[in-house]
C-alpha cells in the first residue's frame, strides 16, 4: 500500500459529498476511475503507506483542533446552564473542563515531542525492558 497525492480536479476523479442527517456536509466520497498519477506524487516510499497512515491515525486525536473545536460546545453548555445551575450542572461542567484540560495537555505534549525531533508515536509505546502494566 502506498500514499499518493491526487489532484481532485484531474480527469477521472469524482467527488461526491456525504451528507449528515442534518444535511450538513463535512466529508466526501472520492471515486477514482482510471486516474493517472505521476511518481512525483508518491508520499514516502513505495509500499510504506500502511506505516504512514497508521502513524497519522495515532496522532489524529492529539491535534489542537480537537480541543479547540470542542471548546465552543463547552462554552454553549456553560451559557445554557447559566450562573444558577444545579450541583449536577456544576459536576457536568467540571468533568468536561477536566477532559478538555487533559486533551490540551496531550496536544502540548505531542507538539513538544515533535518540536524536540522525537517520534510521538514511539514516545507513547512501552520502554525497552519495561513490562506492560496489565500483564503479570
Amino acid at each position: 500500500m502506498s500514499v499518493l497525492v491526487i489532484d481532485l480536479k484531474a480527469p477521472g476523479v469524482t467527488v461526491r459529498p456525504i451528507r449528515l442527517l442534518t444535511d450538513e456536509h463535512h466529508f466526501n466520497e472520492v471515486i477514482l476511475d482510471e486516474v493517472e498519477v505521476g511518481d512525483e506524487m508518491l508520499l514516502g516510499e513505495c509500499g510504506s503507506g500502511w506505516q504512514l497512515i497508521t502513524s497519522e491515525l495515532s496522532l489524529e486525536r492529539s491535534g489542537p483542533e480537537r480541543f479547540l473545536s470542542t471548546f465552543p460546545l463547552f462554552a454553549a453548555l456553560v451559557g445554557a446552564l447559566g450562573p444558577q445551575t444545579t450541583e449536577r450542572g456544576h459536576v457536568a461542567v467540571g468533568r468536561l473542563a477536566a477532559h478538555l484540560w487533559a486533551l490540551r495537555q496531550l496536544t502540548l505534549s505531542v507538539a513538544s515531542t515533535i518540536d524536540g525531533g522525537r517520534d510521538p508515536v514511539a514516545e507513547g509505546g512501552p520502554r525497552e525492558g519495561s513490562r506492560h502494566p496489565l500483564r503479570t
Side-chain angles (χ1 to χ4, degrees):
M1 183 184 320
S2 297
V3 178
L4 302 167
V5 176
I6 298 175
D7 181 356
L8 296 179
K9 294 181 179 157
V13 177
T14 303
V15 179
R16 296 183 191 155
I18 297 174
R19 300 224 174 258
L20 302 175
L21 291 174
T22 59
D23 202 38
E24 292 176 273
H25 163 235
H26 298 285
F27 302 98
N28 296 309
E29 172 185 31
V30 179
I31 299 166
L32 307 176
D33 184 18
E34 297 190 35
V35 176
E36 293 194 27
V37 181
D39 291 343
E40 70 279 3
M41 301 310 282
L42 175 69
L43 284 182
E45 297 177 16
C46 187
S48 68
W50 182 255
Q51 181 182 1
L52 181 66
I53 294 303
T54 55
S55 293
E56 177 62 30
L57 288 174
S58 68
L59 299 173
E60 180 183 34
R61 295 190 172 153
S62 64
E65 72 284 349
R66 198 67 172 170
F67 74 86
L68 292 174
S69 65
T70 306
F71 188 80
L73 297 173
F74 176 72
L77 173 64
V78 171
L81 291 175
Q84 304 300 324
T85 189
T86 64
E87 182 177 341
R88 185 174 176 198
H90 286 295
V91 169
V93 168
R95 182 172 286 131
L96 184 55
H99 285 289
L100 287 174
W101 183 258
L103 190 55
R104 180 178 182 275
Q105 293 306 108
L106 171 65
T107 299
L108 292 174
S109 175
V110 168
S112 175
T113 300
I114 292 170
D115 193 46
R118 297 179 313 278
D119 180 1
V121 175
E123 291 290 317
R127 302 287 185 246
E128 188 174 322
S130 68
R131 293 185 325 140
H132 190 282
L134 299 179
R135 293 188 193 140
T136 56

